[in-house]
């Protein structure tokens, strides 16, 4: 019995290692005032001599219980995540549901953690389809949650994951956090509030406290002794933590976690959906609702200007409404700088028998070809796979719908080039919001003897102009409603693709070369993911949009 390990002592040693490493990287936690910042539910935290990582690995407890809101996330407020569900899963009534949740927020704060959580669950979930909420939890919430993960809390979690079992518990409904914790943080055990449902719809009620967390599973998971990590604000309201041998708490005023950098994500965030391009805190959400009437009017004004004025006049007028774009200078391999391919002059100097110019760009929004047209100050033909009928009507340039039949699509684009038209193609086949490039379809390499790669990027302040599971016909409206936005266009050196047409070079290798050049110019990472991968993950369909 003398060799039996005491979980309490092990917990203290575990925390000592964490404090040692955290104090060297951030000033928010120090070793000298540990007792002022941390406390234990069973005993005061004692001073232990530093231990080596080898000792930590050999003596760490078998089970760590991590409070998601209290320890893992920088912010302890669950309001932003409920607002995301209310707006994104609420369908046509999402704005009204979100507005009601915002108006009730002061009362939620006054009622305390438990009753406030029940009210947020009722307002957010009552009447929502299970499938809609599951899609938000899988495709939208992980982005917002990842951006709120604290570096210090994450480091402790990963140490426990390497040397034992980590159980994450949350006051939020399990459907909101499970996909995030399992898919992006690679955790196996997730406990959260269970919700009542009826015929595929949520009722807005939570199960009884003991049923909410599956008590039998807790007893089985924690039978060997567990150490909990939480915040002093939530530890006593989390039933799972009551099964821990000891709970180590961080004081609310001392919890100043740094943000987890993108490079440290266990799994890269490449795809996500939803319209909100900001964190919907109460203040940010209030700003959005106040902006919406003005934003809608401003969107109509911007659209009218774009459709009625030539580019040389519309550009400065739109810039006064904070709708800007920039032509970036590219210094190519020939050292010429600026716009080495000079596509505008090339097209103006064409004779009737010369073919048109083929522009190949990455795909950020459906407006990419429009800004290429603005940059060269002449019309272009935009070829696309899926575009809503509304977007086609509102587009100031010609759009050509492709068929997904390789031979037919090659014939359509080849005919346009033979007529001397400038053609813009986005070989990714779909948009990607994050700094990644999807696989380039190689068809474009067989259409012309040379292509002009174009690197485009866009920054918006409030709304995303793309969606996988929402109404695509509103993409343009959401873009134009942003308080500010800026497009960046960069023309790269022309790339000779004649060897592909002469069967001397692989079309796939050429497409990968163009992808790498654009990725290098943007600082984006190239991937082999496809349109199908994106839509199966975010919307569980192939992403085809009909004309209606």
């Amino acid at each position: 019995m003398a060799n039996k390990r005491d979980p309490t002592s092990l917990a203290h040693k575990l925390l000592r290692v964490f404090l040692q490493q955290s104090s060297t990287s951030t000033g928010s936690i120090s070793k000298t005032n540990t007792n002022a910042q941390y406390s234990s539910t069973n005993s005061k935290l004692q001073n232990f001599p530093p231990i080596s990582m080898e000792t930590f690995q050999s003596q760490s407890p078998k089970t760590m219980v991590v409070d998601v809101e209290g320890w893992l996330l920088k912010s302890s407020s669950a309001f932003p995540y409920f607002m995301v569900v209310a707006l994104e899963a609420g369908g046509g009534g999402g704005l009204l549901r979100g507005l009601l949740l915002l108006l009730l927020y002061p009362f939620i704060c006054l009622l305390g953690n438990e009753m406030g959580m029940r009210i947020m669950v009722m307002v957010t979930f009552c009447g929502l389809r299970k499938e809609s909420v599951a899609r938000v939890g899988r495709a939208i919430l992980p982005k917002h949650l990842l951006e709120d993960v604290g570096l210090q809390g994450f480091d402790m979690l990963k140490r426990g994951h390497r040397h034992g079992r980590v159980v994450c518990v949350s006051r939020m409904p399990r459907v909101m956090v499970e996909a995030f914790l399992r898919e992006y943080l690679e955790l196996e055990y997730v406990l959260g509030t269970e919700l009542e449902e009826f015929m595929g719809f949520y009722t807005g009620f939570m199960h009884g406290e003991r049923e909410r967390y599956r008590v039998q599973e807790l007893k089985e998971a924690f039978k060997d002794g567990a150490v909990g990590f939480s915040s002093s604000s939530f530890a006593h309201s989390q039933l799972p933590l009551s099964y821990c041998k000891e709970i180590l708490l961080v004081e609310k005023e001392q919890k100043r976690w740094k943000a987890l950098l993108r490079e440290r994500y266990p799994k890269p965030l490449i795809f996500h959906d939803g319209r909100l391009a900001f964190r919907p805190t109460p203040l940010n959400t209030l700003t959005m609702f106040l902006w919406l009437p003005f934003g809608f009017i401003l969107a109509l004004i911007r659209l009218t200007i774009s459709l009625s004025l030539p580019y040389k006049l519309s550009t400065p007028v739109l810039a006064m409404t904070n709708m800007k774009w920039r032509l970036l200078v590219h210094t190519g391999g020939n050292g010429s700088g600026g716009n080495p391919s000079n596509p505008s002059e090339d097209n103006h100097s064409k004779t009737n028998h010369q073919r048109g110019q083929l522009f190949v760009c990455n795909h950020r929004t459906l407006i990419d070809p429009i800004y290429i047209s603005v940059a060269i100050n002449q019309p272009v033909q935009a070829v696309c796979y899926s575009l809503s009928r509304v977007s086609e009507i509102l587009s100031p340039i010609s759009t050509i719908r492709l068929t997904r039949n390789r031979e037919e699509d090659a014939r359509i684009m080849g005919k346009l080039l033979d007529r001397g038209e400038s053609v813009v193609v986005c070989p990714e086949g779909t948009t990607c919001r994050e700094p990644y490039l999807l696989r380039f379809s190689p068809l474009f390499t067989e259409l012309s003897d040379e292509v002009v790669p174009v690197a485009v990027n866009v920054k918006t302040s409030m709304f995303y102009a793309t969606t996988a599971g929402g109404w695509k016909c509103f993409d343009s409206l959401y873009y134009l409603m942003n308080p500010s936005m800026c497009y960046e266009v960069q023309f790269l050196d022309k790339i000779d693709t004649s060897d592909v047409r002469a069967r001397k070079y692989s079309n796939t290798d050429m497409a990968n070369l163009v992808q790498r050049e654009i990725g290098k110019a943007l600082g984006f990472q190239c991937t082999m993911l496809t349109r199908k991968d994106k839509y199966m993950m975010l919307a569980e369909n192939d992403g085809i949009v009909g004309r209606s």
Side-chain angles (χ1 to χ4, degrees):
M1 297 297 291
N3 294 329
K4 186 175 181 180
R5 297 168 182 164
D6 181 9
T8 301
S9 299
L10 297 180
H12 292 159
K13 292 182 180 181
L14 179 65
L15 185 60
R16 171 63 65 185
V17 173
F18 173 66
L19 292 174
Q20 280 183 297
Q21 298 197 7
S22 297
S23 62
T24 61
S25 60
T26 176
S28 62
I29 300 176
S30 63
K31 293 186 290 185
T32 57
N33 60 346
T34 303
N35 289 326
Q37 297 181 23
Y38 289 84
S39 61
S40 170
T41 57
N42 295 341
S43 64
K44 290 293 184 181
L45 184 63
Q46 304 173 15
N47 289 323
F48 284 85
I51 61 176
S52 65
M53 182 56 67
E54 290 76 11
T55 305
F56 163 71
Q57 293 175 358
S58 63
Q59 297 186 354
S60 58
K62 292 183 178 180
T63 302
M64 284 178 56
V65 182
V66 178
D67 185 347
V68 174
E69 296 92 331
W71 183 272
L72 181 61
L73 302 181
K74 294 186 300 174
S75 171
S76 58
S77 173
F79 176 86
Y81 312 116
F82 280 94
M83 181 58 69
V84 170
V85 176
L87 294 175
E88 302 288 358
L95 286 177
L96 292 177
R97 190 184 295 266
L99 180 60
L100 177 60
L101 182 61
L102 178 64
L103 294 176
L104 291 176
Y105 178 72
F107 302 97
I108 292 172
C109 294
L110 294 175
L111 293 174
N113 291 335
E114 180 65 22
M115 185 57 66
M117 179 61 65
R118 289 182 178 274
I119 292 177
M120 285 197 293
V121 169
M122 173 59 71
V123 174
T124 302
F125 283 88
C126 182
L128 292 184
R129 289 182 177 273
K130 287 184 59 179
E131 294 81 1
S132 299
V133 177
R135 191 189 75 83
V136 172
R138 181 184 67 252
I140 302 176
L141 278 173
K143 182 254 184 186
H144 295 276
L145 288 163
L146 274 171
E147 291 178 348
D148 194 32
V149 172
L151 175 61
Q152 290 86 340
F154 175 77
D155 283 343
M156 177 63 86
L157 182 146
K158 293 305 291 183
R159 291 191 188 102
H161 190 243
R162 285 196 298 267
H163 310 299
R165 175 170 50 188
V166 176
V167 178
C168 280
V169 298
S170 174
R171 296 179 303 128
M172 292 185 283
R174 182 169 55 88
V175 69
M176 292 175 61
V177 298
E178 186 169 30
F180 154 67
L181 294 170
R182 291 184 183 274
E183 296 296 326
Y184 290 93
L185 297 190
E186 300 176 345
L187 299 173
E188 183 178 355
Y189 302 98
V190 179
L191 297 173
T193 302
E194 299 294 334
L195 303 178
E196 294 185 358
E197 58 187 75
F198 178 73
M199 297 183 65
F201 292 85
Y202 287 113
T203 64
F205 293 100
M206 300 187 293
H207 286 307
E209 186 175 38
R210 297 184 62 83
E211 291 79 9
R212 281 162 54 188
Y213 291 106
R214 301 177 180 178
V215 172
Q216 288 304 122
E217 294 184 17
L218 290 177
K219 291 180 178 179
E220 180 67 23
F222 301 166
K223 64 181 180 181
D224 295 328
V227 178
F229 294 83
S230 183
S231 166
S232 58
S233 304
F234 302 118
H236 300 289
S237 63
Q238 284 280 37
L239 177 63
L241 293 175
S242 65
Y243 289 86
C244 296
K245 178 70 176 179
E246 184 178 17
I247 306 173
L248 301 176
L249 307 178
V250 59
E251 298 295 338
K252 182 178 180 181
E253 60 273 11
Q254 298 294 341
K255 186 183 176 185
R256 298 169 184 158
W257 292 169
K258 290 184 177 180
L260 181 66
L261 299 178
R262 177 185 293 273
E263 294 75 17
R264 295 285 309 277
Y265 290 176
K267 177 182 178 180
L269 177 68
I270 300 177
F271 301 130
H272 61 87
D273 205 6
R275 293 294 190 180
L276 300 183
F278 63 95
R279 177 176 171 79
T281 62
L283 181 58
N284 290 343
T285 306
L286 175 61
T287 302
M288 181 197 72
F289 277 107
L290 293 176
W291 170 256
L292 283 177
F294 302 99
F296 181 75
I297 296 173
L298 181 60
L300 296 180
I301 294 174
R302 286 169 169 170
L303 179 62
T304 302
I305 294 172
S306 300
L307 296 177
S308 59
L309 295 180
Y311 294 146
K312 288 186 177 180
L313 294 178
S314 63
T315 295
V317 174
L318 291 174
M320 291 189 291
T321 71
N322 240 4
M323 182 177 174
K324 304 174 182 178
W325 73 277
R326 295 190 299 169
L327 180 62
L328 301 183
V329 174
H330 169 70
T331 302
N334 56 14
S336 59
N339 181 1
S341 63
N342 207 359
S344 182
E345 293 183 7
D346 288 351
N347 280 282
H348 280 300
S349 62
K350 292 196 311 277
T351 59
N352 290 334
H353 65 275
Q354 287 182 311
R355 302 188 86 225
Q357 183 70 69
L358 180 60
F359 297 94
V360 179
C361 73
N362 61 300
H363 204 5
R364 302 299 276 180
T365 76
L366 56 83
I367 307 175
D368 298 335
I370 297 176
Y371 278 96
I372 294 177
S373 178
V374 173
I376 65 176
N377 194 29
Q378 70 177 49
V380 299
Q381 301 284 336
V383 294
C384 54
Y385 288 105
S386 294
L387 191 67
S388 70
R389 185 59 178 168
V390 173
S391 298
E392 283 185 299
I393 295 173
L394 296 179
S395 176
I397 62 175
S398 299
T399 58
I400 308 298
R401 186 182 293 267
L402 299 180
T403 65
R404 299 185 186 276
N405 179 285
R406 183 180 178 84
E407 290 74 19
E408 180 64 17
D409 292 342
R411 187 191 66 79
I412 292 173
M413 289 186 280
K415 185 177 180 180
L416 292 172
L417 292 171
D418 289 339
R419 291 196 333 228
E421 302 282 357
S422 295
V423 177
V424 178
V425 60
C426 302
E428 289 175 288
T430 187
T431 58
C432 184
R433 298 172 175 178
E434 297 301 313
Y436 297 91
L437 296 182
L438 307 187
R439 183 181 69 86
F440 277 28
S441 173
L443 178 59
F444 72 91
T445 64
E446 305 171 10
L447 303 177
S448 177
D449 289 336
E450 63 180 15
V451 299
V452 178
V454 186
V456 298
N457 201 5
V458 61
K459 299 175 183 177
T460 58
S461 57
M462 188 171 286
F463 302 113
Y464 287 116
T466 61
T467 182
W471 293 88
K472 291 180 177 293
C473 58
F474 294 134
D475 285 354
S476 299
L477 177 63
Y478 275 105
Y479 178 76
L480 294 172
M481 285 178 61
N482 277 288
S484 63
M485 61 281 240
C486 182
Y487 243 94
E488 297 175 347
V489 181
Q490 185 176 4
F491 292 95
L492 309 183
D493 291 325
K494 289 182 179 180
I495 294 180
D496 186 355
T497 56
S498 58
D499 284 347
V500 175
R501 305 187 76 190
R503 308 290 183 181
K504 297 179 181 179
Y505 199 83
S506 166
N507 60 357
T508 301
D509 291 340
M510 182 63 70
N512 292 340
L513 172 63
V514 176
Q515 182 197 41
R516 288 195 299 271
E517 290 299 315
I518 295 178
K520 187 191 306 181
L522 292 169
F524 288 4
Q525 182 177 338
C526 298
T527 75
M528 294 305 292
L529 297 172
T530 65
R531 174 192 183 90
K532 184 177 180 180
D533 295 325
K534 169 186 170 180
Y535 277 91
M536 289 304 298
M537 174 183 174
L538 299 183
E540 298 184 338
N541 61 51
D542 59 6
I544 298 177
V545 177
R547 283 191 171 272
S548 57

